[in-house]
Amino acid sequence: VAEEVIRSQNPVWIEDLQQEPVEGPLSGITFPSQFRSMVSIPLHSPQQVLGCLTLVSRSPWLYHPQQEELLLSIGNQIGTGAENAMLYHKEKELVEQLVEMDRLKSEFLSNISHELRMPLTAIVGFSELLLDHFKWGLSDQQKEYLNNILNNGRYLSDLINALLDLS
């Protein structure tokens, strides 16, 4: 029954299983004797049919168009709710992945910051030391080289700080 409902995307309504011969794709199906009527409705989501809902009764159930309309509306609501639940679950998994990626990014930046700042601090500090304490014994070209090292070291330090501030 479910296969037919999903394939046709229409409800299957049998008012009296014991009296009516079942025809079409449902022929040959035997139903338990305690059931007298059955309706099976598709569970529509906005994107697709997710399944079907089958209701059975122990007494004959007369078909009314208003009942079918109500059941189809219920099926649409269930289908939409099920799809929303699936989308929520997917989004929750995505958020968990993003949180893990953010943690890894922070860990990476922390490690890279340490690995870059340590030697850079030594280079800048040693350049300042040479310029401040030995400037009278240095040639103009050596002073120029040390100033280039110092300025570029400070520039790299500023770039690292700016990168860390962005993250």
Side-chain angles (χ1 to χ4, degrees):
V1 175
E3 186 179 321
E4 173 61 18
V5 171
I6 292 170
R7 185 194 62 72
S8 70
Q9 298 187 13
N10 291 313
V12 171
W13 195 297
I14 302 174
E15 291 179 355
D16 192 341
L17 293 167
Q18 306 308 318
Q19 298 297 320
E20 288 184 31
V22 179
E23 299 173 0
L26 301 178
S27 63
I29 297 177
T30 56
F31 296 94
S33 61
Q34 71 263 29
F35 299 137
R36 292 294 304 269
S37 58
M38 177 206 87
V39 63
S40 189
I41 58 168
L43 301 177
H44 284 278
S45 74
Q47 304 298 322
Q48 62 187 344
V49 175
L50 299 176
C52 72
L53 174 66
T54 301
L55 305 171
V56 293
S57 174
R58 294 181 191 277
S59 60
W61 192 5
L62 297 177
Y63 169 80
H64 296 295
Q66 296 86 2
Q67 291 174 334
E68 182 177 339
E69 189 177 315
L70 175 64
L71 290 173
L72 286 173
S73 177
I74 290 170
N76 291 339
Q77 293 297 319
I78 292 171
T80 301
E83 184 174 50
N84 287 344
M86 288 186 289
L87 291 173
Y88 173 79
H89 180 70
K90 285 180 183 178
E91 193 164 312
K92 184 178 175 187
E93 287 177 351
L94 180 61
V95 167
E96 289 170 358
Q97 290 173 352
L98 290 173
V99 166
E100 177 64 12
M101 289 173 64
D102 186 57
R103 185 192 66 77
L104 292 172
K105 177 200 68 153
S106 296
E107 184 179 319
F108 171 77
L109 288 174
S110 174
N111 289 337
I112 221 54
S113 168
H114 175 74
E115 295 298 322
L116 291 175
R117 282 183 176 174
M118 289 300 289
L120 197 54
T121 301
I123 292 169
V124 169
F126 191 68
S127 299
E128 287 174 342
L129 179 73
L130 288 174
L131 281 171
D132 290 343
H133 295 316
F134 298 102
K135 70 171 116 179
W136 304 117
L138 298 173
S139 70
D140 288 341
Q141 189 174 17
Q142 289 172 327
K143 289 179 187 175
E144 182 182 340
Y145 290 157
L146 282 174
N147 276 319
N148 285 343
I149 292 170
L150 182 61
N151 290 335
N152 286 327
R154 287 178 178 158
Y155 176 72
L156 283 175
S157 181
D158 290 343
L159 282 177
I160 292 169
N161 290 334
L163 176 67
L164 293 175
D165 287 343
L166 285 176
S167 66

mmCIF file of all heavy atoms in Angstrom, residues 27-64:
data_model
loop_
_atom_site.group_PDB
_atom_site.id
_atom_site.type_symbol
_atom_site.label_atom_id
_atom_site.label_comp_id
_atom_site.label_asym_id
_atom_site.label_seq_id
_atom_site.Cartn_x
_atom_site.Cartn_y
_atom_site.Cartn_z
ATOM 1 N N SER A 27 -4.324 -5.082 -5.774
ATOM 2 C CA SER A 27 -5.036 -6.370 -5.856
ATOM 3 C C SER A 27 -4.096 -7.480 -5.405
ATOM 4 O O SER A 27 -2.889 -7.425 -5.592
ATOM 5 C CB SER A 27 -5.524 -6.617 -7.277
ATOM 6 O OG SER A 27 -4.425 -6.724 -8.148
ATOM 7 N N GLY A 28 -4.672 -8.488 -4.792
ATOM 8 C CA GLY A 28 -3.893 -9.608 -4.311
ATOM 9 C C GLY A 28 -3.381 -9.426 -2.895
ATOM 10 O O GLY A 28 -2.845 -10.352 -2.306
ATOM 11 N N ILE A 29 -3.520 -8.225 -2.344
ATOM 12 C CA ILE A 29 -3.084 -7.995 -0.971
ATOM 13 C C ILE A 29 -4.188 -8.456 -0.043
ATOM 14 O O ILE A 29 -5.352 -8.106 -0.221
ATOM 15 C CB ILE A 29 -2.765 -6.500 -0.727
ATOM 16 C CG1 ILE A 29 -1.608 -6.061 -1.600
ATOM 17 C CG2 ILE A 29 -2.455 -6.247 0.739
ATOM 18 C CD1 ILE A 29 -1.271 -4.593 -1.485
ATOM 19 N N THR A 30 -3.836 -9.264 0.924
ATOM 20 C CA THR A 30 -4.826 -9.677 1.916
ATOM 21 C C THR A 30 -4.577 -8.876 3.192
ATOM 22 O O THR A 30 -3.434 -8.656 3.600
ATOM 23 C CB THR A 30 -4.707 -11.187 2.213
ATOM 24 O OG1 THR A 30 -3.379 -11.475 2.617
ATOM 25 C CG2 THR A 30 -5.077 -12.010 0.998
ATOM 26 N N PHE A 31 -5.657 -8.440 3.755
ATOM 27 C CA PHE A 31 -5.595 -7.633 4.965
ATOM 28 C C PHE A 31 -6.077 -8.467 6.145
ATOM 29 O O PHE A 31 -6.953 -9.315 5.984
ATOM 30 C CB PHE A 31 -6.474 -6.381 4.804
ATOM 31 C CG PHE A 31 -5.991 -5.467 3.708
ATOM 32 C CD1 PHE A 31 -6.510 -5.564 2.423
ATOM 33 C CD2 PHE A 31 -5.017 -4.515 3.965
ATOM 34 C CE1 PHE A 31 -6.066 -4.728 1.407
ATOM 35 C CE2 PHE A 31 -4.567 -3.680 2.963
ATOM 36 C CZ PHE A 31 -5.090 -3.790 1.678
ATOM 37 N N PRO A 32 -5.543 -8.264 7.321
ATOM 38 C CA PRO A 32 -6.009 -9.016 8.498
ATOM 39 C C PRO A 32 -7.514 -8.843 8.693
ATOM 40 O O PRO A 32 -8.070 -7.768 8.436
ATOM 41 C CB PRO A 32 -5.218 -8.391 9.649
ATOM 42 C CG PRO A 32 -4.005 -7.796 9.006
ATOM 43 C CD PRO A 32 -4.449 -7.347 7.642
ATOM 44 N N SER A 33 -8.147 -9.893 9.143
ATOM 45 C CA SER A 33 -9.621 -9.901 9.232
ATOM 46 C C SER A 33 -10.159 -8.897 10.241
ATOM 47 O O SER A 33 -11.303 -8.473 10.138
ATOM 48 C CB SER A 33 -10.123 -11.307 9.570
ATOM 49 O OG SER A 33 -9.589 -11.702 10.827
ATOM 50 N N GLN A 34 -9.367 -8.514 11.238
ATOM 51 C CA GLN A 34 -9.895 -7.570 12.236
ATOM 52 C C GLN A 34 -10.006 -6.150 11.675
ATOM 53 O O GLN A 34 -10.664 -5.305 12.265
ATOM 54 C CB GLN A 34 -9.074 -7.590 13.528
ATOM 55 C CG GLN A 34 -7.693 -6.986 13.423
ATOM 56 C CD GLN A 34 -6.601 -8.028 13.192
ATOM 57 O OE1 GLN A 34 -6.843 -9.063 12.608
ATOM 58 N NE2 GLN A 34 -5.406 -7.729 13.656
ATOM 59 N N PHE A 35 -9.361 -5.873 10.537
ATOM 60 C CA PHE A 35 -9.434 -4.529 9.950
ATOM 61 C C PHE A 35 -10.549 -4.482 8.915
ATOM 62 O O PHE A 35 -10.661 -5.336 8.056
ATOM 63 C CB PHE A 35 -8.107 -4.131 9.301
ATOM 64 C CG PHE A 35 -6.953 -4.076 10.264
ATOM 65 C CD1 PHE A 35 -5.721 -4.597 9.916
ATOM 66 C CD2 PHE A 35 -7.088 -3.500 11.519
ATOM 67 C CE1 PHE A 35 -4.649 -4.546 10.797
ATOM 68 C CE2 PHE A 35 -6.025 -3.449 12.410
ATOM 69 C CZ PHE A 35 -4.800 -3.976 12.040
ATOM 70 N N ARG A 36 -11.347 -3.420 8.991
ATOM 71 C CA ARG A 36 -12.463 -3.280 8.054
ATOM 72 C C ARG A 36 -12.251 -2.157 7.055
ATOM 73 O O ARG A 36 -12.730 -2.237 5.933
ATOM 74 C CB ARG A 36 -13.765 -3.016 8.825
ATOM 75 C CG ARG A 36 -14.270 -4.163 9.666
ATOM 76 C CD ARG A 36 -14.694 -5.351 8.807
ATOM 77 N NE ARG A 36 -15.684 -5.057 7.803
ATOM 78 C CZ ARG A 36 -16.992 -5.155 7.969
ATOM 79 N NH1 ARG A 36 -17.493 -5.563 9.116
ATOM 80 N NH2 ARG A 36 -17.812 -4.867 6.994
ATOM 81 N N SER A 37 -11.570 -1.083 7.468
ATOM 82 C CA SER A 37 -11.340 0.012 6.524
ATOM 83 C C SER A 37 -9.927 0.543 6.720
ATOM 84 O O SER A 37 -9.286 0.319 7.747
ATOM 85 C CB SER A 37 -12.371 1.128 6.721
ATOM 86 O OG SER A 37 -12.316 1.614 8.042
ATOM 87 N N MET A 38 -9.467 1.241 5.671
ATOM 88 C CA MET A 38 -8.102 1.719 5.685
ATOM 89 C C MET A 38 -7.978 2.961 4.806
ATOM 90 O O MET A 38 -8.660 3.075 3.784
ATOM 91 C CB MET A 38 -7.191 0.629 5.132
ATOM 92 C CG MET A 38 -5.744 1.035 5.026
ATOM 93 S SD MET A 38 -4.898 0.099 3.754
ATOM 94 C CE MET A 38 -5.259 1.083 2.343
ATOM 95 N N VAL A 39 -7.140 3.873 5.253
ATOM 96 C CA VAL A 39 -6.762 5.007 4.415
ATOM 97 C C VAL A 39 -5.264 5.195 4.586
ATOM 98 O O VAL A 39 -4.730 5.078 5.691
ATOM 99 C CB VAL A 39 -7.547 6.306 4.765
ATOM 100 C CG1 VAL A 39 -7.262 6.766 6.184
ATOM 101 C CG2 VAL A 39 -7.221 7.415 3.778
ATOM 102 N N SER A 40 -4.596 5.422 3.501
ATOM 103 C CA SER A 40 -3.152 5.653 3.524
ATOM 104 C C SER A 40 -2.897 6.953 2.764
ATOM 105 O O SER A 40 -3.340 7.102 1.617
ATOM 106 C CB SER A 40 -2.423 4.479 2.883
ATOM 107 O OG SER A 40 -1.039 4.592 3.091
ATOM 108 N N ILE A 41 -2.217 7.881 3.409
ATOM 109 C CA ILE A 41 -2.001 9.205 2.806
ATOM 110 C C ILE A 41 -0.497 9.465 2.659
ATOM 111 O O ILE A 41 0.309 9.011 3.466
ATOM 112 C CB ILE A 41 -2.639 10.328 3.657
ATOM 113 C CG1 ILE A 41 -2.071 10.313 5.079
ATOM 114 C CG2 ILE A 41 -4.139 10.217 3.666
ATOM 115 C CD1 ILE A 41 -2.418 11.521 5.892
ATOM 116 N N PRO A 42 -0.127 10.198 1.610
ATOM 117 C CA PRO A 42 1.292 10.533 1.440
ATOM 118 C C PRO A 42 1.719 11.609 2.439
ATOM 119 O O PRO A 42 0.929 12.470 2.824
ATOM 120 C CB PRO A 42 1.377 11.060 0.005
ATOM 121 C CG PRO A 42 0.006 11.531 -0.308
ATOM 122 C CD PRO A 42 -0.943 10.699 0.513
ATOM 123 N N LEU A 43 2.970 11.515 2.870
ATOM 124 C CA LEU A 43 3.560 12.542 3.734
ATOM 125 C C LEU A 43 4.434 13.422 2.841
ATOM 126 O O LEU A 43 5.581 13.091 2.539
ATOM 127 C CB LEU A 43 4.381 11.899 4.857
ATOM 128 C CG LEU A 43 3.629 10.952 5.780
ATOM 129 C CD1 LEU A 43 4.565 10.332 6.804
ATOM 130 C CD2 LEU A 43 2.469 11.662 6.466
ATOM 131 N N HIS A 44 3.838 14.531 2.418
ATOM 132 C CA HIS A 44 4.513 15.450 1.505
ATOM 133 C C HIS A 44 5.356 16.452 2.285
ATOM 134 O O HIS A 44 4.905 17.019 3.277
ATOM 135 C CB HIS A 44 3.496 16.277 0.689
ATOM 136 C CG HIS A 44 2.840 15.527 -0.411
ATOM 137 N ND1 HIS A 44 3.433 15.341 -1.623
ATOM 138 C CD2 HIS A 44 1.637 14.929 -0.480
ATOM 139 C CE1 HIS A 44 2.613 14.660 -2.403
ATOM 140 N NE2 HIS A 44 1.513 14.389 -1.731
ATOM 141 N N SER A 45 6.576 16.648 1.813
ATOM 142 C CA SER A 45 7.364 17.783 2.265
ATOM 143 C C SER A 45 7.388 18.748 1.082
ATOM 144 O O SER A 45 6.948 18.389 -0.003
ATOM 145 C CB SER A 45 8.782 17.343 2.634
ATOM 146 O OG SER A 45 9.537 17.073 1.476
ATOM 147 N N PRO A 46 7.899 19.942 1.273
ATOM 148 C CA PRO A 46 7.957 20.849 0.115
ATOM 149 C C PRO A 46 8.791 20.285 -1.041
ATOM 150 O O PRO A 46 8.595 20.663 -2.186
ATOM 151 C CB PRO A 46 8.590 22.110 0.686
ATOM 152 C CG PRO A 46 8.223 22.092 2.135
ATOM 153 C CD PRO A 46 8.241 20.638 2.510
ATOM 154 N N GLN A 47 9.712 19.375 -0.760
ATOM 155 C CA GLN A 47 10.610 18.874 -1.791
ATOM 156 C C GLN A 47 10.185 17.529 -2.393
ATOM 157 O O GLN A 47 10.454 17.275 -3.550
ATOM 158 C CB GLN A 47 12.028 18.712 -1.211
ATOM 159 C CG GLN A 47 12.602 19.967 -0.600
ATOM 160 C CD GLN A 47 12.762 21.087 -1.597
ATOM 161 O OE1 GLN A 47 13.121 20.847 -2.738
ATOM 162 N NE2 GLN A 47 12.471 22.304 -1.194
ATOM 163 N N GLN A 48 9.558 16.659 -1.582
ATOM 164 C CA GLN A 48 9.308 15.293 -2.038
ATOM 165 C C GLN A 48 8.287 14.608 -1.139
ATOM 166 O O GLN A 48 7.855 15.155 -0.140
ATOM 167 C CB GLN A 48 10.608 14.505 -2.023
ATOM 168 C CG GLN A 48 11.213 14.385 -0.625
ATOM 169 C CD GLN A 48 12.577 13.746 -0.636
ATOM 170 O OE1 GLN A 48 12.952 13.126 -1.611
ATOM 171 N NE2 GLN A 48 13.319 13.878 0.436
ATOM 172 N N VAL A 49 7.937 13.371 -1.520
ATOM 173 C CA VAL A 49 7.110 12.530 -0.657
ATOM 174 C C VAL A 49 8.071 11.724 0.210
ATOM 175 O O VAL A 49 8.932 11.009 -0.284
ATOM 176 C CB VAL A 49 6.204 11.591 -1.474
ATOM 177 C CG1 VAL A 49 5.443 10.656 -0.557
ATOM 178 C CG2 VAL A 49 5.229 12.397 -2.311
ATOM 179 N N LEU A 50 7.945 11.877 1.527
ATOM 180 C CA LEU A 50 8.858 11.211 2.454
ATOM 181 C C LEU A 50 8.396 9.820 2.858
ATOM 182 O O LEU A 50 9.182 9.002 3.296
ATOM 183 C CB LEU A 50 9.027 12.061 3.713
ATOM 184 C CG LEU A 50 9.607 13.455 3.503
ATOM 185 C CD1 LEU A 50 9.620 14.216 4.811
ATOM 186 C CD2 LEU A 50 10.997 13.365 2.926
ATOM 187 N N GLY A 51 7.116 9.565 2.751
ATOM 188 C CA GLY A 51 6.571 8.281 3.171
ATOM 189 C C GLY A 51 5.056 8.348 3.141
ATOM 190 O O GLY A 51 4.476 9.168 2.430
ATOM 191 N N CYS A 52 4.430 7.491 3.931
ATOM 192 C CA CYS A 52 2.973 7.545 4.002
ATOM 193 C C CYS A 52 2.524 7.215 5.416
ATOM 194 O O CYS A 52 3.257 6.628 6.199
ATOM 195 C CB CYS A 52 2.332 6.614 2.979
ATOM 196 S SG CYS A 52 2.498 4.879 3.361
ATOM 197 N N LEU A 53 1.326 7.633 5.715
ATOM 198 C CA LEU A 53 0.689 7.369 6.999
ATOM 199 C C LEU A 53 -0.547 6.530 6.704
ATOM 200 O O LEU A 53 -1.391 6.926 5.899
ATOM 201 C CB LEU A 53 0.297 8.676 7.692
ATOM 202 C CG LEU A 53 -0.507 8.561 8.978
ATOM 203 C CD1 LEU A 53 0.343 7.914 10.069
ATOM 204 C CD2 LEU A 53 -0.988 9.933 9.426
ATOM 205 N N THR A 54 -0.631 5.365 7.343
ATOM 206 C CA THR A 54 -1.757 4.471 7.109
ATOM 207 C C THR A 54 -2.578 4.352 8.388
ATOM 208 O O THR A 54 -2.034 4.085 9.460
ATOM 209 C CB THR A 54 -1.260 3.076 6.664
ATOM 210 O OG1 THR A 54 -0.498 3.230 5.472
ATOM 211 C CG2 THR A 54 -2.427 2.141 6.405
ATOM 212 N N LEU A 55 -3.861 4.584 8.249
ATOM 213 C CA LEU A 55 -4.797 4.461 9.364
ATOM 214 C C LEU A 55 -5.744 3.316 9.046
ATOM 215 O O LEU A 55 -6.252 3.206 7.933
ATOM 216 C CB LEU A 55 -5.587 5.752 9.547
ATOM 217 C CG LEU A 55 -4.763 7.041 9.717
ATOM 218 C CD1 LEU A 55 -5.675 8.243 9.655
ATOM 219 C CD2 LEU A 55 -4.007 6.999 11.024
ATOM 220 N N VAL A 56 -5.998 2.456 10.020
ATOM 221 C CA VAL A 56 -6.934 1.348 9.839
ATOM 222 C C VAL A 56 -7.999 1.434 10.926
ATOM 223 O O VAL A 56 -7.781 2.022 11.988
ATOM 224 C CB VAL A 56 -6.218 -0.021 9.877
ATOM 225 C CG1 VAL A 56 -5.301 -0.186 8.694
ATOM 226 C CG2 VAL A 56 -5.465 -0.215 11.171
ATOM 227 N N SER A 57 -9.129 0.832 10.626
ATOM 228 C CA SER A 57 -10.241 0.851 11.575
ATOM 229 C C SER A 57 -10.852 -0.544 11.637
ATOM 230 O O SER A 57 -10.840 -1.286 10.652
ATOM 231 C CB SER A 57 -11.283 1.877 11.128
ATOM 232 O OG SER A 57 -12.422 1.813 11.945
ATOM 233 N N ARG A 58 -11.427 -0.859 12.788
ATOM 234 C CA ARG A 58 -12.096 -2.151 12.952
ATOM 235 C C ARG A 58 -13.538 -2.111 12.436
ATOM 236 O O ARG A 58 -14.210 -3.120 12.385
ATOM 237 C CB ARG A 58 -12.087 -2.564 14.419
ATOM 238 C CG ARG A 58 -10.684 -2.829 14.925
ATOM 239 C CD ARG A 58 -10.713 -3.265 16.389
ATOM 240 N NE ARG A 58 -9.394 -3.279 16.977
ATOM 241 C CZ ARG A 58 -8.531 -4.275 16.875
ATOM 242 N NH1 ARG A 58 -8.855 -5.335 16.184
ATOM 243 N NH2 ARG A 58 -7.348 -4.213 17.445
ATOM 244 N N SER A 59 -14.008 -0.912 12.070
ATOM 245 C CA SER A 59 -15.362 -0.798 11.519
ATOM 246 C C SER A 59 -15.273 -0.091 10.163
ATOM 247 O O SER A 59 -14.327 0.628 9.894
ATOM 248 C CB SER A 59 -16.257 -0.006 12.476
ATOM 249 O OG SER A 59 -15.732 1.280 12.676
ATOM 250 N N PRO A 60 -16.273 -0.313 9.309
ATOM 251 C CA PRO A 60 -16.250 0.365 8.013
ATOM 252 C C PRO A 60 -16.223 1.892 8.207
ATOM 253 O O PRO A 60 -16.834 2.422 9.128
ATOM 254 C CB PRO A 60 -17.547 -0.077 7.339
ATOM 255 C CG PRO A 60 -17.916 -1.344 8.021
ATOM 256 C CD PRO A 60 -17.421 -1.204 9.434
ATOM 257 N N TRP A 61 -15.522 2.556 7.340
ATOM 258 C CA TRP A 61 -15.340 3.999 7.449
ATOM 259 C C TRP A 61 -15.737 4.610 6.122
ATOM 260 O O TRP A 61 -15.088 4.383 5.104
ATOM 261 C CB TRP A 61 -13.872 4.270 7.743
ATOM 262 C CG TRP A 61 -13.516 5.652 8.160
ATOM 263 C CD1 TRP A 61 -14.339 6.685 8.394
ATOM 264 C CD2 TRP A 61 -12.198 6.141 8.410
ATOM 265 N NE1 TRP A 61 -13.642 7.790 8.772
ATOM 266 C CE2 TRP A 61 -12.309 7.473 8.795
ATOM 267 C CE3 TRP A 61 -10.938 5.580 8.352
ATOM 268 C CZ2 TRP A 61 -11.205 8.258 9.103
ATOM 269 C CZ3 TRP A 61 -9.853 6.355 8.664
ATOM 270 C CH2 TRP A 61 -9.985 7.686 9.041
ATOM 271 N N LEU A 62 -16.783 5.372 6.123
ATOM 272 C CA LEU A 62 -17.286 5.952 4.883
ATOM 273 C C LEU A 62 -16.407 7.135 4.469
ATOM 274 O O LEU A 62 -16.004 7.961 5.281
ATOM 275 C CB LEU A 62 -18.738 6.391 5.037
ATOM 276 C CG LEU A 62 -19.732 5.269 5.337
ATOM 277 C CD1 LEU A 62 -21.123 5.849 5.529
ATOM 278 C CD2 LEU A 62 -19.719 4.236 4.224
ATOM 279 N N TYR A 63 -16.136 7.179 3.190
ATOM 280 C CA TYR A 63 -15.291 8.219 2.623
ATOM 281 C C TYR A 63 -16.044 9.541 2.558
ATOM 282 O O TYR A 63 -17.185 9.593 2.105
ATOM 283 C CB TYR A 63 -14.853 7.800 1.216
ATOM 284 C CG TYR A 63 -14.206 8.910 0.440
ATOM 285 C CD1 TYR A 63 -12.876 9.235 0.656
ATOM 286 C CD2 TYR A 63 -14.924 9.647 -0.504
ATOM 287 C CE1 TYR A 63 -12.267 10.242 -0.051
ATOM 288 C CE2 TYR A 63 -14.316 10.663 -1.214
ATOM 289 C CZ TYR A 63 -12.996 10.961 -0.987
ATOM 290 O OH TYR A 63 -12.399 11.970 -1.675
ATOM 291 N N HIS A 64 -15.398 10.606 3.040
ATOM 292 C CA HIS A 64 -15.918 11.962 2.897
ATOM 293 C C HIS A 64 -14.789 12.845 2.402
ATOM 294 O O HIS A 64 -13.677 12.792 2.944
ATOM 295 C CB HIS A 64 -16.441 12.508 4.232
ATOM 296 C CG HIS A 64 -17.615 11.772 4.775
ATOM 297 N ND1 HIS A 64 -18.828 11.750 4.152
ATOM 298 C CD2 HIS A 64 -17.758 11.008 5.890
ATOM 299 C CE1 HIS A 64 -19.669 11.013 4.846
ATOM 300 N NE2 HIS A 64 -19.043 10.544 5.911
#
